[in-house]
Amino acid sequence: MGTRAWALLLVLCGTIFLEGIDVAMLAVAIPSIRSDLDLPTDTAAWVMSAYVLGYAGFTLLGGRAADLLGRRRMFLTWLTVFLAFSGLGGFATEGWTLIVARFVTGVSAAFMTPAALSLITTSYEEGEQRNKALLVFAGTAAGGFSLGLVIGGLLTQLGWRWVFFAPVLLAGALLVAATRLIPHQPHQPRPAESENAECENAEPGSAEAGKSPGRPRRRTEGFDILGAATAAAAMLLAAYAVIRLEHGLDGWRLTAGAALAATTLLVVFVAVERRTPTPLVRLGILRTGSVVRADLGALLFVGAFFGFQFVLTLYLQELRGWSSLQTAIALVVLGCDAILAPTLTPRLVTRFGHAKVILGGFVLAVVAYGLFLPVGMDWSYAAMFPTLIIAGTAFALAYGPLTIAATDGVAESEQGLASGLLHTFTQFGSAIGISAVTAVYGLASSGASAGSDPDATLSAFRAALIVPVAMVTLGALLSSFGIGSRTKPPTAGAPAVPAAPTTAAVTVIAATPVDAIPGTSANPTRQGSS
Protein backbone atom coordinates (compact mmCIF):
# COMPACT_ATOMS: atom_id res chain seq x y z
CA MET A 1 0.00 0.00 0.00
CA GLY A 2 1.07 3.54 -0.69
CA THR A 3 1.58 6.32 1.84
CA ARG A 4 -1.91 7.77 1.41
CA ALA A 5 -3.52 4.34 1.72
CA TRP A 6 -1.66 3.71 4.97
CA ALA A 7 -2.62 7.15 6.27
CA LEU A 8 -6.31 6.47 5.54
CA LEU A 9 -6.06 3.11 7.26
CA LEU A 10 -4.49 4.67 10.35
CA VAL A 11 -7.36 7.16 10.57
CA LEU A 12 -10.01 4.43 10.32
CA CYS A 13 -8.12 2.28 12.81
CA GLY A 14 -7.80 5.31 15.06
CA THR A 15 -11.58 5.47 15.25
CA ILE A 16 -11.96 1.92 16.52
CA PHE A 17 -9.05 2.54 18.90
CA LEU A 18 -10.90 5.64 20.13
CA GLU A 19 -14.03 3.63 20.81
CA GLY A 20 -12.09 0.93 22.65
CA ILE A 21 -10.25 3.26 25.01
CA ASP A 22 -13.40 5.33 25.62
CA VAL A 23 -15.32 2.30 26.86
CA ALA A 24 -12.46 0.88 28.92
CA MET A 25 -11.48 4.18 30.54
CA LEU A 26 -15.02 4.91 31.69
CA ALA A 27 -15.26 1.50 33.33
CA VAL A 28 -12.18 2.42 35.34
CA ALA A 29 -13.47 5.88 36.25
CA ILE A 30 -17.03 5.06 37.39
CA PRO A 31 -16.20 4.74 41.12
CA SER A 32 -14.47 8.13 41.14
CA ILE A 33 -17.29 9.76 39.17
CA ARG A 34 -19.89 8.40 41.56
CA SER A 35 -17.99 9.61 44.59
CA ASP A 36 -17.16 13.08 43.23
CA LEU A 37 -20.67 13.89 41.97
CA ASP A 38 -22.38 12.06 44.84
CA LEU A 39 -24.50 10.07 42.40
CA PRO A 40 -27.25 7.75 43.62
CA THR A 41 -26.74 4.07 42.87
CA ASP A 42 -29.29 3.91 40.06
CA THR A 43 -27.87 7.03 38.38
CA ALA A 44 -24.34 5.63 38.45
CA ALA A 45 -25.68 2.42 36.94
CA TRP A 46 -27.33 4.31 34.09
CA VAL A 47 -24.11 6.14 33.25
CA MET A 48 -22.84 2.77 32.00
CA SER A 49 -26.13 1.34 30.76
CA ALA A 50 -27.03 4.40 28.66
CA TYR A 51 -24.07 3.70 26.35
CA VAL A 52 -25.25 0.12 25.89
CA LEU A 53 -28.76 1.24 24.99
CA GLY A 54 -27.50 3.75 22.46
CA TYR A 55 -25.00 1.40 20.84
CA ALA A 56 -27.10 -1.76 20.73
CA GLY A 57 -30.27 0.14 19.85
CA PHE A 58 -28.92 1.86 16.76
CA THR A 59 -26.14 -0.35 15.37
CA LEU A 60 -28.40 -2.05 12.82
CA LEU A 61 -29.70 1.31 11.63
CA GLY A 62 -26.18 2.72 11.62
CA GLY A 63 -24.84 -0.04 9.41
CA ARG A 64 -27.59 0.41 6.83
CA ALA A 65 -27.33 4.20 6.92
CA ALA A 66 -23.70 3.90 5.84
CA ASP A 67 -24.82 1.97 2.75
CA LEU A 68 -27.73 4.24 1.86
CA LEU A 69 -26.64 7.72 2.92
CA GLY A 70 -22.91 7.51 2.27
CA ARG A 71 -20.10 5.98 4.32
CA ARG A 72 -17.96 9.11 4.32
CA ARG A 73 -20.86 11.30 5.39
CA MET A 74 -21.90 8.98 8.20
CA PHE A 75 -18.34 8.55 9.41
CA LEU A 76 -17.53 12.27 9.58
CA THR A 77 -20.92 13.29 10.97
CA TRP A 78 -20.98 10.80 13.82
CA LEU A 79 -17.31 11.22 14.65
CA THR A 80 -18.16 14.89 15.20
CA VAL A 81 -21.10 13.95 17.42
CA PHE A 82 -18.87 11.55 19.36
CA LEU A 83 -16.36 14.36 19.96
CA ALA A 84 -19.00 16.86 21.08
CA PHE A 85 -20.79 14.64 23.58
CA SER A 86 -17.62 13.17 25.01
CA GLY A 87 -16.64 16.77 25.81
CA LEU A 88 -20.08 17.35 27.34
CA GLY A 89 -19.48 14.42 29.68
CA GLY A 90 -16.23 15.98 30.83
CA PHE A 91 -18.02 19.18 31.89
CA ALA A 92 -20.92 17.38 33.58
CA THR A 93 -21.89 18.38 37.09
CA GLU A 94 -25.14 16.37 37.28
CA GLY A 95 -25.87 12.70 36.75
CA TRP A 96 -28.49 13.31 34.05
CA THR A 97 -25.93 15.18 31.93
CA LEU A 98 -23.59 12.19 32.04
CA ILE A 99 -26.43 9.82 31.14
CA VAL A 100 -27.43 11.90 28.11
CA ALA A 101 -23.80 12.26 27.04
CA ARG A 102 -23.16 8.52 27.26
CA PHE A 103 -26.38 7.63 25.43
CA VAL A 104 -25.61 9.92 22.50
CA THR A 105 -21.98 8.75 22.50
CA GLY A 106 -23.27 5.18 22.19
CA VAL A 107 -25.55 6.18 19.32
CA SER A 108 -22.66 7.90 17.54
CA ALA A 109 -20.51 4.79 17.93
CA ALA A 110 -23.36 2.72 16.49
CA PHE A 111 -23.21 4.77 13.28
CA MET A 112 -19.47 5.44 13.21
CA THR A 113 -18.15 1.88 13.67
CA PRO A 114 -20.01 0.16 10.81
CA ALA A 115 -19.13 3.10 8.56
CA ALA A 116 -15.43 2.70 9.38
CA LEU A 117 -15.47 -1.04 8.73
CA SER A 118 -17.38 -0.70 5.46
CA LEU A 119 -15.00 2.07 4.35
CA ILE A 120 -12.16 -0.42 4.69
CA THR A 121 -13.98 -3.19 2.81
CA THR A 122 -14.78 -0.81 -0.05
CA SER A 123 -11.60 1.32 -0.14
CA TYR A 124 -8.98 -1.43 -0.41
CA GLU A 125 -8.68 -3.86 -3.25
CA GLU A 126 -10.05 -7.30 -2.52
CA GLY A 127 -7.34 -9.79 -1.70
CA GLU A 128 -4.01 -9.26 0.00
CA GLN A 129 -4.35 -5.48 0.37
CA ARG A 130 -7.80 -5.63 1.98
CA ASN A 131 -6.82 -8.55 4.19
CA LYS A 132 -3.80 -6.64 5.48
CA ALA A 133 -5.93 -3.55 6.19
CA LEU A 134 -8.54 -5.56 8.05
CA LEU A 135 -5.99 -7.40 10.14
CA VAL A 136 -4.45 -4.10 11.23
CA PHE A 137 -7.96 -2.86 12.05
CA ALA A 138 -8.62 -5.95 14.17
CA GLY A 139 -5.40 -5.66 16.12
CA THR A 140 -5.95 -1.94 16.74
CA ALA A 141 -9.44 -2.55 18.10
CA ALA A 142 -8.25 -5.13 20.62
CA GLY A 143 -5.21 -3.05 21.55
CA GLY A 144 -7.35 0.03 22.18
CA PHE A 145 -9.48 -1.73 24.72
CA SER A 146 -6.57 -3.39 26.51
CA LEU A 147 -4.53 -0.17 26.69
CA GLY A 148 -7.64 1.76 27.70
CA LEU A 149 -7.84 -0.16 30.95
CA VAL A 150 -4.38 1.00 31.98
CA ILE A 151 -4.66 4.51 30.51
CA GLY A 152 -7.99 4.95 32.27
CA GLY A 153 -6.43 4.03 35.60
CA LEU A 154 -3.66 6.57 35.10
CA LEU A 155 -5.97 9.38 33.94
CA THR A 156 -8.36 8.77 36.80
CA GLN A 157 -5.50 9.50 39.16
CA LEU A 158 -5.24 12.95 37.53
CA GLY A 159 -9.01 13.47 37.61
CA TRP A 160 -11.92 11.52 36.13
CA ARG A 161 -12.82 14.36 33.73
CA TRP A 162 -9.69 13.54 31.71
CA VAL A 163 -11.32 10.22 30.84
CA PHE A 164 -13.76 12.32 28.76
CA PHE A 165 -11.37 15.02 27.56
CA ALA A 166 -8.66 12.66 26.26
CA PRO A 167 -11.01 11.09 23.65
CA VAL A 168 -11.99 14.63 22.56
CA LEU A 169 -8.37 15.42 21.69
CA LEU A 170 -7.93 12.17 19.77
CA ALA A 171 -11.30 12.49 18.01
CA GLY A 172 -10.44 16.05 16.94
CA ALA A 173 -7.17 14.95 15.36
CA LEU A 174 -8.90 12.05 13.60
CA LEU A 175 -11.65 14.31 12.29
CA VAL A 176 -9.17 16.74 10.71
CA ALA A 177 -7.22 13.90 9.09
CA ALA A 178 -10.35 12.03 7.95
CA THR A 179 -11.76 15.12 6.22
CA ARG A 180 -8.63 15.28 4.07
CA LEU A 181 -8.04 11.57 3.51
CA ILE A 182 -11.44 9.91 3.00
CA PRO A 183 -12.37 10.42 -0.65
CA HIS A 184 -15.83 11.42 -1.77
CA GLN A 185 -17.56 8.25 -2.87
CA PRO A 186 -19.74 7.65 -5.91
CA HIS A 187 -23.44 6.89 -5.63
CA GLN A 188 -24.07 3.50 -4.04
CA PRO A 189 -26.78 1.31 -5.59
CA ARG A 190 -30.01 1.11 -3.65
CA PRO A 191 -30.98 -2.30 -2.27
CA ALA A 192 -33.82 -2.34 -4.78
CA GLU A 193 -31.27 -2.38 -7.57
CA SER A 194 -29.71 -5.49 -6.04
CA GLU A 195 -33.15 -7.03 -5.72
CA ASN A 196 -33.80 -6.40 -9.42
CA ALA A 197 -30.74 -8.43 -10.24
CA GLU A 198 -31.93 -11.17 -7.91
CA CYS A 199 -35.34 -11.21 -9.57
CA GLU A 200 -33.78 -11.59 -13.00
CA ASN A 201 -31.54 -14.45 -11.88
CA ALA A 202 -33.95 -16.13 -9.48
CA GLU A 203 -34.79 -19.80 -9.85
CA PRO A 204 -38.33 -20.61 -11.00
CA GLY A 205 -40.71 -20.96 -8.09
CA SER A 206 -38.64 -18.86 -5.68
CA ALA A 207 -40.04 -15.84 -3.88
CA GLU A 208 -37.82 -13.52 -5.91
CA ALA A 209 -38.96 -15.05 -9.18
CA GLY A 210 -42.48 -13.80 -8.59
CA LYS A 211 -41.40 -10.19 -8.37
CA SER A 212 -41.15 -7.83 -11.28
CA PRO A 213 -37.69 -6.42 -11.72
CA GLY A 214 -39.06 -3.06 -12.77
CA ARG A 215 -36.69 -0.15 -12.94
CA PRO A 216 -33.90 0.73 -10.49
CA ARG A 217 -35.31 2.99 -7.81
CA ARG A 218 -33.82 6.38 -7.29
CA ARG A 219 -32.57 7.69 -3.96
CA THR A 220 -35.35 10.26 -4.08
CA GLU A 221 -38.09 7.66 -3.86
CA GLY A 222 -37.93 7.74 -0.09
CA PHE A 223 -36.28 6.38 3.00
CA ASP A 224 -37.82 3.61 5.08
CA ILE A 225 -38.75 5.85 8.02
CA LEU A 226 -41.23 3.39 9.54
CA GLY A 227 -38.73 0.55 9.32
CA ALA A 228 -36.01 2.69 10.91
CA ALA A 229 -38.32 3.75 13.75
CA THR A 230 -39.56 0.24 14.53
CA ALA A 231 -36.05 -1.24 14.32
CA ALA A 232 -34.59 1.36 16.68
CA ALA A 233 -37.50 1.02 19.14
CA ALA A 234 -37.29 -2.79 19.11
CA MET A 235 -33.53 -2.80 19.66
CA LEU A 236 -33.74 -0.22 22.46
CA LEU A 237 -36.40 -2.21 24.31
CA ALA A 238 -34.53 -5.46 23.75
CA ALA A 239 -31.32 -3.92 25.11
CA TYR A 240 -33.22 -2.59 28.12
CA ALA A 241 -34.72 -6.02 28.80
CA VAL A 242 -31.28 -7.64 28.59
CA ILE A 243 -29.79 -5.09 30.98
CA ARG A 244 -32.61 -5.76 33.44
CA LEU A 245 -31.82 -9.49 33.45
CA GLU A 246 -29.15 -8.79 36.04
CA HIS A 247 -31.91 -8.01 38.54
CA GLY A 248 -33.01 -11.64 38.43
CA LEU A 249 -36.58 -12.04 39.71
CA ASP A 250 -36.64 -8.54 41.17
CA GLY A 251 -38.94 -6.43 39.00
CA TRP A 252 -39.48 -9.32 36.57
CA ARG A 253 -42.75 -7.85 35.32
CA LEU A 254 -40.95 -4.80 33.92
CA THR A 255 -38.29 -7.01 32.34
CA ALA A 256 -40.90 -9.30 30.79
CA GLY A 257 -42.92 -6.30 29.56
CA ALA A 258 -39.89 -4.80 27.84
CA ALA A 259 -39.05 -8.13 26.22
CA LEU A 260 -42.64 -8.61 25.02
CA ALA A 261 -42.78 -5.08 23.60
CA ALA A 262 -39.44 -5.61 21.83
CA THR A 263 -40.67 -8.87 20.31
CA THR A 264 -43.88 -7.25 19.14
CA LEU A 265 -42.02 -4.38 17.51
CA LEU A 266 -39.63 -6.83 15.86
CA VAL A 267 -42.59 -8.64 14.29
CA VAL A 268 -43.94 -5.28 13.11
CA PHE A 269 -40.51 -4.42 11.68
CA VAL A 270 -40.37 -7.65 9.67
CA ALA A 271 -43.88 -7.02 8.35
CA VAL A 272 -42.91 -3.47 7.33
CA GLU A 273 -39.75 -4.63 5.57
CA ARG A 274 -41.67 -7.27 3.62
CA ARG A 275 -44.09 -4.69 2.24
CA THR A 276 -42.07 -1.52 1.71
CA PRO A 277 -40.67 -0.97 -1.80
CA THR A 278 -37.40 0.38 -0.37
CA PRO A 279 -36.68 -1.66 2.80
CA LEU A 280 -34.16 -0.51 5.35
CA VAL A 281 -33.04 -4.13 5.71
CA ARG A 282 -33.38 -6.50 2.79
CA LEU A 283 -34.45 -9.64 4.62
CA GLY A 284 -32.83 -11.79 1.95
CA ILE A 285 -29.42 -10.98 3.45
CA LEU A 286 -30.30 -13.36 6.27
CA ARG A 287 -30.19 -16.17 3.72
CA THR A 288 -26.78 -15.12 2.40
CA GLY A 289 -24.03 -17.58 3.22
CA SER A 290 -23.89 -18.19 6.95
CA VAL A 291 -24.70 -14.67 8.15
CA VAL A 292 -27.17 -15.65 10.86
CA ARG A 293 -25.23 -18.65 12.19
CA ALA A 294 -22.00 -16.67 12.32
CA ASP A 295 -23.70 -13.77 14.08
CA LEU A 296 -25.18 -16.16 16.65
CA GLY A 297 -21.76 -17.68 17.16
CA ALA A 298 -20.30 -14.20 17.72
CA LEU A 299 -23.07 -13.44 20.25
CA LEU A 300 -22.28 -16.58 22.25
CA PHE A 301 -18.52 -16.16 22.11
CA VAL A 302 -18.44 -12.46 22.97
CA GLY A 303 -21.08 -12.90 25.67
CA ALA A 304 -19.04 -15.63 27.35
CA PHE A 305 -15.81 -13.62 27.04
CA PHE A 306 -17.15 -10.50 28.73
CA GLY A 307 -19.24 -12.39 31.25
CA PHE A 308 -16.09 -14.20 32.35
CA GLN A 309 -14.09 -10.98 32.54
CA PHE A 310 -16.81 -9.40 34.64
CA VAL A 311 -16.78 -12.24 37.19
CA LEU A 312 -12.98 -12.32 37.22
CA THR A 313 -12.81 -8.57 37.87
CA LEU A 314 -15.17 -8.83 40.83
CA TYR A 315 -13.25 -11.83 42.18
CA LEU A 316 -9.97 -9.90 42.12
CA GLN A 317 -11.41 -6.76 43.68
CA GLU A 318 -14.13 -8.11 45.98
CA LEU A 319 -12.28 -11.09 47.43
CA ARG A 320 -8.64 -10.33 46.80
CA GLY A 321 -8.69 -6.59 47.44
CA TRP A 322 -6.82 -5.64 44.28
CA SER A 323 -7.04 -2.03 43.11
CA SER A 324 -8.63 -1.07 39.82
CA LEU A 325 -5.22 -0.36 38.27
CA GLN A 326 -3.76 -3.66 39.52
CA THR A 327 -6.71 -5.54 38.07
CA ALA A 328 -6.44 -3.73 34.74
CA ILE A 329 -2.75 -4.55 34.43
CA ALA A 330 -3.41 -8.20 35.35
CA LEU A 331 -6.01 -8.50 32.60
CA VAL A 332 -3.84 -6.93 29.90
CA VAL A 333 -2.65 -10.44 29.00
CA LEU A 334 -6.13 -11.04 27.57
CA GLY A 335 -5.14 -8.51 24.93
CA CYS A 336 -2.74 -11.01 23.36
CA ASP A 337 -5.38 -11.29 20.64
CA ALA A 338 -4.14 -7.91 19.36
CA ILE A 339 -0.91 -9.67 18.39
CA LEU A 340 -2.22 -13.13 17.49
CA ALA A 341 -5.21 -12.00 15.38
CA PRO A 342 -3.12 -10.50 12.54
CA THR A 343 -0.26 -13.02 12.77
CA LEU A 344 -1.33 -16.52 13.83
CA THR A 345 -5.00 -16.62 12.79
CA PRO A 346 -4.51 -15.91 9.04
CA ARG A 347 -2.03 -18.78 8.76
CA LEU A 348 -4.39 -21.19 10.50
CA VAL A 349 -7.33 -20.09 8.32
CA THR A 350 -5.23 -20.55 5.19
CA ARG A 351 -4.26 -24.05 6.22
CA PHE A 352 -7.44 -25.36 7.87
CA GLY A 353 -10.29 -23.12 6.72
CA HIS A 354 -12.65 -20.87 8.67
CA ALA A 355 -14.88 -23.51 10.24
CA LYS A 356 -12.11 -25.52 11.89
CA VAL A 357 -10.40 -22.42 13.28
CA ILE A 358 -13.71 -21.17 14.71
CA LEU A 359 -14.33 -24.54 16.34
CA GLY A 360 -10.78 -24.52 17.72
CA GLY A 361 -11.40 -21.10 19.27
CA PHE A 362 -14.58 -22.28 20.96
CA VAL A 363 -12.90 -25.41 22.28
CA LEU A 364 -10.03 -23.37 23.72
CA ALA A 365 -12.57 -21.06 25.37
CA VAL A 366 -14.32 -24.05 26.98
CA VAL A 367 -10.95 -25.18 28.35
CA ALA A 368 -10.01 -21.69 29.57
CA TYR A 369 -13.23 -20.99 31.47
CA GLY A 370 -13.46 -24.56 32.70
CA LEU A 371 -9.99 -24.28 34.26
CA PHE A 372 -11.22 -21.36 36.33
CA LEU A 373 -14.32 -23.09 37.76
CA PRO A 374 -12.52 -24.42 40.88
CA VAL A 375 -11.00 -20.99 41.65
CA GLY A 376 -9.90 -20.72 45.27
CA MET A 377 -9.72 -17.93 47.80
CA ASP A 378 -5.96 -17.58 47.55
CA TRP A 379 -5.09 -18.47 43.96
CA SER A 380 -1.85 -16.88 42.80
CA TYR A 381 -1.63 -14.95 39.55
CA ALA A 382 0.44 -17.83 38.16
CA ALA A 383 -2.53 -20.14 38.77
CA MET A 384 -4.82 -17.76 36.86
CA PHE A 385 -2.41 -17.11 34.00
CA PRO A 386 -3.20 -20.26 31.95
CA THR A 387 -6.88 -19.30 31.84
CA LEU A 388 -6.06 -15.73 30.80
CA ILE A 389 -3.62 -16.61 28.03
CA ILE A 390 -5.83 -19.42 26.66
CA ALA A 391 -8.91 -17.16 26.72
CA GLY A 392 -7.05 -14.43 24.83
CA THR A 393 -5.81 -16.95 22.27
CA ALA A 394 -9.32 -18.35 21.86
CA PHE A 395 -10.61 -14.87 21.13
CA ALA A 396 -7.94 -14.36 18.48
CA LEU A 397 -8.84 -17.66 16.81
CA ALA A 398 -12.63 -17.42 16.89
CA TYR A 399 -13.70 -13.84 16.35
CA GLY A 400 -11.86 -13.00 13.14
CA PRO A 401 -13.10 -16.08 11.24
CA LEU A 402 -16.61 -15.52 12.66
CA THR A 403 -16.52 -12.04 11.17
CA ILE A 404 -15.37 -13.43 7.84
CA ALA A 405 -18.30 -15.85 7.85
CA ALA A 406 -20.71 -13.07 8.83
CA THR A 407 -19.72 -10.89 5.86
CA ASP A 408 -18.72 -13.52 3.30
CA GLY A 409 -20.81 -13.49 0.15
CA VAL A 410 -22.50 -10.16 0.97
CA ALA A 411 -22.71 -7.63 -1.87
CA GLU A 412 -20.58 -4.51 -1.58
CA SER A 413 -23.73 -2.36 -1.42
CA GLU A 414 -24.75 -4.20 1.76
CA GLN A 415 -21.41 -4.42 3.58
CA GLY A 416 -22.57 -1.73 6.02
CA LEU A 417 -25.71 -3.72 6.78
CA ALA A 418 -23.71 -6.92 7.34
CA SER A 419 -21.35 -5.02 9.64
CA GLY A 420 -24.31 -3.54 11.50
CA LEU A 421 -25.85 -6.97 12.00
CA LEU A 422 -22.60 -8.36 13.35
CA HIS A 423 -22.07 -5.46 15.75
CA THR A 424 -25.69 -5.72 16.90
CA PHE A 425 -25.23 -9.37 17.79
CA THR A 426 -21.90 -8.75 19.54
CA GLN A 427 -23.31 -5.85 21.55
CA PHE A 428 -26.25 -7.93 22.67
CA GLY A 429 -23.89 -10.81 23.37
CA SER A 430 -21.76 -8.76 25.73
CA ALA A 431 -24.83 -7.37 27.48
CA ILE A 432 -26.38 -10.83 27.82
CA GLY A 433 -23.16 -12.33 29.16
CA ILE A 434 -22.70 -9.68 31.83
CA SER A 435 -26.38 -9.59 32.81
CA ALA A 436 -26.62 -13.39 32.97
CA VAL A 437 -23.61 -13.83 35.26
CA THR A 438 -24.95 -11.03 37.46
CA ALA A 439 -28.37 -12.67 37.68
CA VAL A 440 -26.90 -16.10 38.48
CA TYR A 441 -24.68 -14.57 41.14
CA GLY A 442 -27.67 -12.85 42.71
CA LEU A 443 -29.71 -16.06 42.77
CA ALA A 444 -26.79 -18.11 44.10
CA SER A 445 -26.14 -15.65 46.92
CA SER A 446 -29.79 -15.03 47.85
CA GLY A 447 -30.52 -16.01 51.41
CA ALA A 448 -26.82 -15.89 52.28
CA SER A 449 -24.77 -12.95 53.46
CA ALA A 450 -22.52 -13.09 50.42
CA GLY A 451 -21.33 -9.55 50.97
CA SER A 452 -19.86 -10.38 54.39
CA ASP A 453 -19.07 -14.10 54.08
CA PRO A 454 -16.08 -14.68 51.75
CA ASP A 455 -16.91 -18.37 51.33
CA ALA A 456 -20.48 -17.56 50.26
CA THR A 457 -19.19 -14.93 47.85
CA LEU A 458 -16.70 -17.38 46.33
CA SER A 459 -19.42 -20.01 45.96
CA ALA A 460 -21.65 -17.49 44.16
CA PHE A 461 -18.78 -16.53 41.84
CA ARG A 462 -18.25 -20.18 40.94
CA ALA A 463 -21.94 -20.52 40.12
CA ALA A 464 -21.77 -17.44 37.89
CA LEU A 465 -18.75 -18.89 36.05
CA ILE A 466 -20.97 -21.68 34.75
CA VAL A 467 -22.65 -19.14 32.44
CA PRO A 468 -19.62 -18.45 30.18
CA VAL A 469 -18.77 -22.17 30.13
CA ALA A 470 -22.32 -22.96 28.99
CA MET A 471 -22.29 -20.24 26.33
CA VAL A 472 -19.04 -21.34 24.67
CA THR A 473 -20.09 -24.99 24.90
CA LEU A 474 -23.27 -24.12 22.99
CA GLY A 475 -21.16 -22.13 20.54
CA ALA A 476 -18.83 -25.10 20.04
CA LEU A 477 -21.82 -27.30 19.22
CA LEU A 478 -23.06 -24.71 16.74
CA SER A 479 -19.67 -24.34 15.09
CA SER A 480 -19.17 -28.09 14.90
CA PHE A 481 -21.79 -28.11 12.16
CA GLY A 482 -19.57 -25.78 10.16
CA ILE A 483 -19.93 -22.00 10.29
CA GLY A 484 -19.12 -20.52 6.93
CA SER A 485 -20.26 -21.45 3.51
CA ARG A 486 -16.67 -22.27 2.57
CA THR A 487 -15.04 -25.26 4.15
CA LYS A 488 -11.85 -24.95 2.14
CA PRO A 489 -9.19 -22.35 2.84
CA PRO A 490 -9.92 -19.02 1.12
CA THR A 491 -8.14 -18.13 -2.06
CA ALA A 492 -5.85 -15.17 -2.34
CA GLY A 493 -8.70 -13.00 -3.52
CA ALA A 494 -11.19 -14.02 -0.88
CA PRO A 495 -12.40 -11.32 1.47
CA ALA A 496 -11.47 -11.45 5.10
CA VAL A 497 -12.89 -9.19 7.76
CA PRO A 498 -11.43 -10.16 11.13
CA ALA A 499 -12.39 -7.00 12.98
CA ALA A 500 -12.52 -7.08 16.72
CA PRO A 501 -15.91 -6.46 18.32
CA THR A 502 -15.07 -3.41 19.88
CA THR A 503 -13.36 -5.06 22.23
CA ALA A 504 -14.50 -1.85 21.18
CA ALA A 505 -17.34 -2.88 20.96
CA VAL A 506 -17.93 -4.53 24.03
CA THR A 507 -17.43 -3.18 27.48
CA VAL A 508 -16.86 -3.28 31.10
CA ILE A 509 -13.93 -4.85 32.56
CA ALA A 510 -11.11 -4.45 34.84
CA ALA A 511 -12.16 -1.54 36.90
CA THR A 512 -15.79 -2.41 37.30
CA PRO A 513 -16.90 -1.27 40.74
CA VAL A 514 -16.52 -4.14 43.16
CA ASP A 515 -20.09 -3.75 44.32
CA ALA A 516 -21.62 -4.05 40.88
CA ILE A 517 -23.42 -7.31 41.61
CA PRO A 518 -26.58 -7.59 43.69
CA GLY A 519 -25.66 -8.89 47.11
CA THR A 520 -22.22 -7.29 47.26
CA SER A 521 -21.42 -4.35 49.43
CA ALA A 522 -22.33 -0.74 48.85
CA ASN A 523 -22.90 0.35 45.30
CA PRO A 524 -24.53 -2.13 42.91
CA THR A 525 -23.42 -0.22 39.85
CA ARG A 526 -24.60 -2.02 36.75
CA GLN A 527 -22.20 -2.48 33.92
CA GLY A 528 -22.95 -2.81 30.25
CA SER A 529 -21.13 -3.60 27.08
CA SER A 530 -20.03 -1.10 24.70
Side-chain angles (χ1 to χ4, degrees), residues 131-160:
N131 293 349
K132 180 184 295 185
L134 289 166
L135 291 171
V136 173
F137 186 82
T140 304
F145 190 82
S146 300
L147 290 175
L149 298 174
V150 180
I151 295 172
L154 296 174
L155 289 179
T156 302
Q157 301 299 315
L158 299 176
W160 64 263

Side-chain angles (χ1 to χ4, degrees), residues 122-326:
T122 56
S123 297
Y124 295 88
E125 184 179 354
E126 185 178 4
E128 182 180 353
Q129 187 180 83
R130 182 186 296 179
N131 293 349
K132 180 184 295 185
L134 289 166
L135 291 171
V136 173
F137 186 82
T140 304
F145 190 82
S146 300
L147 290 175
L149 298 174
V150 180
I151 295 172
L154 296 174
L155 289 179
T156 302
Q157 301 299 315
L158 299 176
W160 64 263
R161 296 183 187 278
W162 279 103
V163 167
F164 291 89
F165 293 145
V168 170
L169 299 176
L170 177 56
L174 291 174
L175 182 61
V176 172
T179 303
R180 295 176 59 87
L181 291 171
I182 300 177
H184 291 275
Q185 297 175 308
H187 162 66
Q188 296 294 327
R190 297 282 295 189
E193 296 172 359
S194 300
E195 289 178 354
N196 288 339
E198 291 179 2
C199 294
E200 294 169 357
N201 299 322
E203 296 181 2
S206 66
E208 287 76 8
K211 299 178 182 178
S212 174
R215 61 181 176 82
R217 295 182 176 88
R218 297 169 298 171
R219 295 176 65 92
T220 56
E221 287 193 2
F223 187 77
D224 184 13
I225 300 297
L226 183 57
T230 52
M235 293 299 101
L236 281 169
L237 285 168
Y240 178 68
V242 168
I243 290 171
R244 283 199 54 82
L245 286 176
E246 65 188 57
H247 293 285
L249 299 178
D250 183 23
W252 67 268
R253 288 184 177 84
L254 181 57
T255 304
L260 179 60
T263 303
T264 302
L265 282 171
L266 185 59
V267 172
V268 172
F269 170 72
V270 172
V272 169
E273 298 307 279
R274 285 183 177 277
R275 288 167 174 75
T276 184
T278 55
L280 177 73
V281 176
R282 185 180 65 84
L283 299 178
I285 194 175
L286 302 178
R287 299 189 297 271
T288 301
S290 58
V291 168
V292 173
R293 293 181 65 193
D295 287 345
L296 285 173
L299 182 151
L300 292 168
F301 191 87
V302 170
F305 187 79
F306 284 94
F308 170 74
Q309 282 192 332
F310 188 59
V311 176
L312 175 59
T313 296
L314 292 169
Y315 162 77
L316 293 176
Q317 296 188 44
E318 180 78 11
L319 288 180
R320 307 301 297 276
W322 292 22
S323 70
S324 295
L325 184 58
Q326 286 176 316

